[in-house]
Amino acid sequence: MAPFEAAARAAEELNAAAYAELHRSVGERRAELDYLTEVTEVLSELWRDIADAAAEGNR
């Protein structure tokens, strides 16, 4: 697996875990997790775009 693909998958897994925890949380923890999910979503999209561009460049 290419390094960018591995980073994209790891970011997607982290984002999924953060979302799962968000739905089980309450109060201040929920607010913190809401922010975390916003950040991890952006990062996962960024890494996915980089991985896709790298894969396209290798063709």
Side-chain angles (χ1 to χ4, degrees), residues 7 9 13 16 24 29 31 52 55:
R9 287 186 184 185
E13 290 172 8
R24 294 188 297 260
R29 178 148 174 84
D52 291 347

Side-chain angles (χ1 to χ4, degrees), residues 28-42:
E28 187 175 322
R29 178 148 174 84
R30 185 172 179 85
E32 292 168 353
L33 283 166
D34 185 43
Y35 176 73
L36 177 63
T37 59
E38 290 179 24
V39 172
T40 59
E41 182 174 10
V42 169

Side-chain angles (χ1 to χ4, degrees), residues 36-51:
L36 177 63
T37 59
E38 290 179 24
V39 172
T40 59
E41 182 174 10
V42 169
L43 288 174
S44 68
E45 290 172 359
L46 174 63
W47 279 113
R48 175 54 52 206
D49 290 346
I50 291 170

Side-chain angles (χ1 to χ4, degrees), residues 7-25:
R9 287 186 184 185
E12 289 162 355
E13 290 172 8
L14 177 60
N15 188 44
Y19 268 105
E21 186 64 27
L22 172 67
H23 294 294
R24 294 188 297 260
S25 64

